[in-house]
Amino acid sequence: MKIGIADTTFARANMGAAAADEIRRHTSIRIERYTVPGLKDLPVACKKLIEERGCDLVMALGMPGGAEKDKVCAHEASQGLQLAMLMTNRHIIEVFVHEDEAKDDKELAWLLEQRTREHAVNAVKLLLYPKELERDAGTGQRQGFSDVGPARQ
Amino acid sequence: MKIGIADTTFARANMGAAAADEIRRHTSIRIERYTVPGLKDLPVACKKLIEERGCDLVMALGMPGGAEKDKVCAHEASQGLQLAMLMTNRHIIEVFVHEDEAKDDKELAWLLEQRTREHAVNAVKLLLYPKELERDAGTGQRQGFSDVGPARQ
Amino acid sequence: MKIGIADTTFARANMGAAAADEIRRHTSIRIERYTVPGLKDLPVACKKLIEERGCDLVMALGMPGGAEKDKVCAHEASQGLQLAMLMTNRHIIEVFVHEDEAKDDKELAWLLEQRTREHAVNAVKLLLYPKELERDAGTGQRQGFSDVGPARQ
Amino acid sequence: MKIGIADTTFARANMGAAAADEIRRHTSIRIERYTVPGLKDLPVACKKLIEERGCDLVMALGMPGGAEKDKVCAHEASQGLQLAMLMTNRHIIEVFVHEDEAKDDKELAWLLEQRTREHAVNAVKLLLYPKELERDAGTGQRQGFSDVGPARQ
Amino acid sequence: MKIGIADTTFARANMGAAAADEIRRHTSIRIERYTVPGLKDLPVACKKLIEERGCDLVMALGMPGGAEKDKVCAHEASQGLQLAMLMTNRHIIEVFVHEDEAKDDKELAWLLEQRTREHAVNAVKLLLYPKELERDAGTGQRQGFSDVGPARQ
């Protein structure tokens, strides 16, 4: 089994390195990396990781900018990722950190790494331990900032 | 015959458990569960339930957050569900409860369960009793809050 | 030849019955009905009417609600209908009456039936009398409210 | 070789007739016409012109209305046209004139015909004289209103 | 190996010529050009460059206008490009310069050429030197205006 990691030169932290490091803490599964210029290059990169390089699951890591144009760009990339998943029957974990989610560069750097790592754990669970996700169904899990918890305490 | 149930760890109530419970009240049909992290992981999970685990119909259960970003996310997931249905010729009942539809956590917990249960009844009808739906054509049915009824009383 | 009619329990008038009645006034072609809960269930229902029940053309009848969420829902259903047409090379006549197009329940009931009937005539023409449509090319035809007519009188 | 022309009864000028007339001024290529009720019926009509009636290129002619609903409708039709092109590897020249682009009915009638005719010339070039388009690359060409020209004079 | 270049007569600078010139500075790879009228004609042109003219990677060069209609048009073209990539498993580098990104015609002419050239370098790297992109992962690269750099200095 293999996990693919696709990331960008546009992002402002090495999300791909963080993902690879986190995955290695939990499993010795093989990892394939693929770096592209920007968000819109991610969907086909993920599909190639699955179909040409044999990945069973891929993480798509990106950082949309804060302008309106960037939001549209992220939306188009997300639609492409949906399509790539449905064409391959494989999960692609989308990890997008919008530049304007963080209040400054320091928090941005933290959030880029933290969310990537928490989603890397999800990727491992989806592939190897699906029962752990079922156990957490409906418990208000979040990646990056704190969990919210269930509505009925 | 089998019904699939896909839900998320992001939602704030165990929608999957509610759906399974309701379906069992109406039929002894077999049920397959699949829990994923978030909304955008649902479409491929539904397609896998249909193509790899033999489900004839799937319920896709999710709770979009209240922020603008979450609305876009829900839209992308919905588009993915449309595509998954058209690629498989199977119904996927989308049950999304937007976090901001409820006025507080208590109502949210109620709505998450209530809408899920009413759609579970629809799922059973679509698969086993389609004539019951035809009988209700154009009668202003709603799931969760009260029915509206026909325009001409 | 067969015409399919897909409608919903969500709508506030029996659009499916109106469509069937109107079609029967113009042709003795066979009709297949399929009622689903809501708008988003229509695209796959239409595709199944074409591929599994042999319909040559389908009418997709629905009534989007007036809230912003409902507009997004209608948009997703319309995209699904486009895709279903392109996957099957068959026309699907979309008849959507937005709840907020009418000023009250009485006008809504009238509009739901009137637009459905006028589109039913279009459906028959598309399938049986395409030359009649070509004769009306660019003449500002509308369904439900009055025709607008050509720009150059 | 054949060029297809798809137009609507909704538009307020006979765009299809204008397109056919213009094409005939430049080439004796065969023409197939297909008139449908509205914008959303165009994509599948274009695909049928290509796949069932042997057209090598199609013009899709429509006039979106000025209301918000009509903008969404045009967007859905455009997405369908994109998909139809990619499924067939054939060009479909989209000629949409928004009703609110013109200041009155007289200008609207002029614009509907003028833009159609200029795009008809593009259609002929794409199919028969692609080198002429390459020669005009980046020169700020427009269809209907005046050309803008290159940024660096 | 071959790189395809698709551009438009609508843009206000010869982006295709700039791309070809830049690619030739870095490699002697063969180049195929294809000029179309506007943005929406690009996706199928790119797909034809890949499938009918044997290109391994394509650059899609366009200049969306500044009006709201033009933004929607760019969005539709981008979605088409995503789809074209996923249907072919080939990268299509989208280089769109929005007319309103520049403060005047002089800056527009500069930006159209500069962004095209920087993306041409990315195209060459993606095809021939993927390790160079991986080395720059997460370093805040931009094309046209200045790089932003990583969040954590």
Side-chain angles (χ1 to χ4, degrees):
Chain A
M1 281 216 282
K2 260 200 274 193
I3 291 181
I5 295 174
D7 65 352
T8 68
T9 65
F10 185 97
R12 299 184 58 205
N14 196 327
M15 300 169 82
D21 180 69
E22 187 67 31
I23 291 169
R24 287 202 189 93
R25 293 183 190 201
H26 300 276
T27 171
S28 57
I29 211 167
R30 283 171 56 203
I31 291 173
E32 291 277 330
R33 274 197 73 173
Y34 196 153
T35 303
V36 294
L39 277 186
K40 293 192 191 175
D41 308 308
L42 284 175
V44 74
C46 292
K47 188 151 176 278
K48 286 163 78 77
L49 280 168
I50 293 167
E51 295 184 338
E52 299 174 1
R53 293 164 68 179
C55 294
D56 301 278
L57 179 149
V58 178
M59 296 187 70
L61 312 169
M63 186 205 76
E68 190 50 43
K69 255 179 207 76
D70 299 309
K71 304 293 178 196
V72 176
C73 180
H75 178 48
E76 290 154 0
S78 289
Q79 291 178 313
L81 292 174
Q82 284 298 326
L83 191 50
M85 285 189 258
L86 294 170
M87 289 169 96
T88 59
N89 275 10
R90 293 290 183 280
H91 281 285
I92 300 174
I93 307 288
E94 177 190 306
V95 187
F96 283 3
V97 175
H98 292 253
E99 201 171 4
D100 57 8
E101 284 185 79
K103 63 177 186 291
D104 55 29
D105 274 13
K106 194 180 159 196
E107 190 179 76
L108 180 61
W110 170 81
L111 186 59
L112 283 162
E113 180 164 340
Q114 187 63 19
R115 186 172 292 160
T116 298
R117 288 188 179 274
E118 296 195 27
H119 272 299
V121 175
N122 280 336
V124 172
K125 286 183 184 170
L126 258 178
L127 205 55
L128 302 176
Y129 316 108
K131 282 290 162 195
E132 293 194 18
L133 289 168
E134 192 177 324
R135 203 190 53 207
D136 285 341
T139 57
Q141 302 293 311
R142 298 292 178 273
Q143 289 78 36
F145 296 116
S146 305
D147 292 342
V148 179
R152 185 173 281 143
Q153 305 292 338
Chain B
M1 281 216 282
K2 260 201 275 193
I3 291 181
I5 295 175
D7 64 352
T8 68
T9 64
F10 184 98
R12 299 183 61 204
N14 196 327
M15 300 168 82
D21 180 69
E22 187 67 31
I23 291 169
R24 287 202 190 92
R25 292 183 190 199
H26 300 275
T27 170
S28 57
I29 211 167
R30 282 170 58 202
I31 291 173
E32 291 277 329
R33 274 197 72 174
Y34 195 153
T35 303
V36 294
L39 278 186
K40 293 192 192 175
D41 307 309
L42 284 175
V44 74
C46 292
K47 188 150 176 279
K48 287 163 77 79
L49 280 167
I50 293 166
E51 295 184 339
E52 300 174 1
R53 292 163 69 179
C55 294
D56 301 279
L57 178 150
V58 177
M59 297 186 70
L61 311 169
M63 185 206 77
E68 190 49 44
K69 256 180 207 75
D70 298 309
K71 304 292 178 196
V72 176
C73 180
H75 177 49
E76 290 154 0
S78 289
Q79 290 177 314
L81 292 174
Q82 285 298 326
L83 191 50
M85 284 189 259
L86 294 169
M87 290 169 94
T88 60
N89 274 11
R90 292 289 183 281
H91 281 285
I92 299 174
I93 307 288
E94 178 190 306
V95 187
F96 283 2
V97 176
H98 291 253
E99 200 171 5
D100 57 8
E101 284 185 77
K103 63 177 186 292
D104 56 28
D105 274 14
K106 193 180 159 195
E107 190 179 75
L108 180 61
W110 170 81
L111 186 60
L112 284 162
E113 180 164 340
Q114 187 64 19
R115 187 172 292 161
T116 298
R117 288 188 180 274
E118 297 195 26
H119 271 298
V121 175
N122 280 336
V124 172
K125 286 183 185 170
L126 258 177
L127 204 55
L128 302 175
Y129 316 108
K131 282 289 163 197
E132 293 195 17
L133 289 169
E134 192 177 325
R135 205 190 51 206
D136 286 342
T139 57
Q141 302 294 310
R142 297 294 178 271
Q143 289 78 37
F145 296 117
S146 306
D147 292 342
V148 179
R152 184 173 281 142
Q153 304 292 337
Chain C
M1 280 217 282
K2 260 200 276 192
I3 292 182
I5 295 174
D7 66 350
T8 67
T9 64
F10 185 98
R12 299 182 60 205
N14 196 328
M15 300 169 81
D21 180 70
E22 188 66 32
I23 291 169
R24 287 202 190 92
R25 293 184 189 200
H26 301 274
T27 171
S28 57
I29 211 167
R30 281 171 59 203
I31 291 173
E32 291 276 329
R33 274 197 72 173
Y34 195 153
T35 303
V36 294
L39 278 186
K40 293 191 192 176
D41 307 308
L42 284 174
V44 73
C46 293
K47 188 151 176 279
K48 286 162 78 78
L49 280 168
I50 293 167
E51 295 184 338
E52 300 175 0
R53 292 163 69 178
C55 294
D56 300 279
L57 178 150
V58 177
M59 297 186 69
L61 312 169
M63 184 206 77
E68 190 50 44
K69 256 181 207 74
D70 299 309
K71 305 291 179 198
V72 176
C73 180
H75 178 49
E76 290 154 0
S78 289
Q79 291 178 314
L81 291 173
Q82 284 298 326
L83 191 49
M85 284 189 259
L86 295 170
M87 289 168 95
T88 60
N89 275 9
R90 292 289 183 280
H91 282 285
I92 299 174
I93 308 288
E94 179 191 305
V95 187
F96 283 2
V97 175
H98 291 253
E99 200 172 4
D100 57 8
E101 284 186 78
K103 62 177 187 293
D104 55 29
D105 273 14
K106 193 180 160 196
E107 189 179 75
L108 180 60
W110 170 81
L111 186 59
L112 284 162
E113 181 165 338
Q114 187 63 19
R115 187 172 292 161
T116 298
R117 288 188 180 274
E118 296 195 26
H119 271 299
V121 175
N122 280 336
V124 172
K125 287 184 185 169
L126 259 177
L127 205 54
L128 302 175
Y129 316 108
K131 282 288 162 198
E132 293 195 18
L133 289 169
E134 192 177 324
R135 205 189 51 206
D136 285 342
T139 56
Q141 301 295 310
R142 298 293 178 272
Q143 289 78 37
F145 296 117
S146 305
D147 292 342
V148 180
R152 185 173 280 144
Q153 304 292 339
Chain D
M1 281 216 281
K2 259 199 276 192
I3 291 182
I5 295 175
D7 65 350
T8 67
T9 63
F10 185 98
R12 299 183 60 204
N14 196 328
M15 300 169 81
D21 180 70
E22 187 66 31
I23 290 169
R24 287 203 190 92
R25 294 184 189 198
H26 301 275
T27 170
S28 58
I29 211 167
R30 281 170 58 203
I31 290 173
E32 291 276 329
R33 273 196 74 174
Y34 196 153
T35 303
V36 294
L39 278 186
K40 293 191 192 176
D41 307 308
L42 285 174
V44 74
C46 293
K47 188 151 176 279
K48 287 163 78 78
L49 280 168
I50 293 167
E51 295 184 338
E52 300 174 0
R53 292 164 68 178
C55 294
D56 300 279
L57 179 149
V58 178
M59 298 186 68
L61 312 169
M63 186 206 77
E68 189 50 44
K69 255 181 208 75
D70 299 309
K71 304 292 179 197
V72 176
C73 180
H75 178 48
E76 290 154 1
S78 290
Q79 291 178 313
L81 291 174
Q82 284 298 325
L83 191 50
M85 285 189 259
L86 295 170
M87 289 168 94
T88 60
N89 276 8
R90 292 290 183 279
H91 282 285
I92 300 174
I93 308 288
E94 179 191 306
V95 187
F96 283 2
V97 175
H98 291 253
E99 200 171 4
D100 58 7
E101 284 186 78
K103 63 177 187 292
D104 56 29
D105 273 13
K106 194 181 159 195
E107 189 179 75
L108 179 61
W110 170 82
L111 186 58
L112 283 163
E113 180 164 339
Q114 187 62 19
R115 187 172 293 160
T116 298
R117 288 187 179 275
E118 296 195 28
H119 271 299
V121 175
N122 280 336
V124 172
K125 286 184 184 168
L126 258 178
L127 205 54
L128 302 176
Y129 316 108
K131 283 289 161 197
E132 294 195 17
L133 289 169
E134 192 177 325
R135 204 190 52 206
D136 284 342
T139 56
Q141 301 294 311
R142 298 293 177 273
Q143 289 78 37
F145 296 117
S146 305
D147 292 342
V148 180
R152 184 172 282 142
Q153 304 292 339
Chain E
M1 282 216 282
K2 260 200 275 193
I3 292 181
I5 295 175
D7 65 350
T8 67
T9 64
F10 185 97
R12 299 183 58 205
N14 197 328
M15 301 169 81
D21 180 69
E22 187 67 32
I23 291 169
R24 287 203 189 92
R25 293 183 190 200
H26 300 275
T27 170
S28 58
I29 211 167
R30 282 172 56 204
I31 291 173
E32 292 275 330
R33 273 196 74 173
Y34 196 153
T35 303
V36 294
L39 278 187
K40 292 192 192 177
D41 307 309
L42 285 174
V44 74
C46 293
K47 188 151 177 278
K48 286 163 78 78
L49 280 168
I50 293 167
E51 294 183 340
E52 299 175 0
R53 292 164 67 179
C55 294
D56 301 278
L57 179 149
V58 178
M59 296 187 69
L61 311 169
M63 186 205 76
E68 189 51 42
K69 254 180 208 76
D70 299 308
K71 304 293 178 195
V72 176
C73 180
H75 177 48
E76 289 154 1
S78 289
Q79 290 178 314
L81 292 174
Q82 284 297 326
L83 191 49
M85 285 189 257
L86 294 170
M87 289 169 95
T88 59
N89 276 9
R90 292 290 183 280
H91 281 284
I92 300 173
I93 307 288
E94 177 191 307
V95 188
F96 283 3
V97 175
H98 291 253
E99 200 170 4
D100 58 7
E101 284 185 78
K103 62 177 187 293
D104 55 29
D105 273 13
K106 193 180 159 197
E107 190 178 74
L108 180 61
W110 169 82
L111 186 59
L112 284 162
E113 180 164 339
Q114 187 63 19
R115 187 172 292 160
T116 297
R117 288 188 179 274
E118 297 195 28
H119 272 299
V121 175
N122 280 336
V124 172
K125 286 184 184 170
L126 258 178
L127 205 54
L128 302 176
Y129 316 109
K131 282 289 162 196
E132 293 195 18
L133 288 169
E134 191 177 325
R135 204 190 51 205
D136 285 342
T139 57
Q141 302 293 311
R142 298 292 177 273
Q143 288 78 36
F145 296 117
S146 306
D147 292 342
V148 179
R152 184 174 281 143
Q153 304 292 339

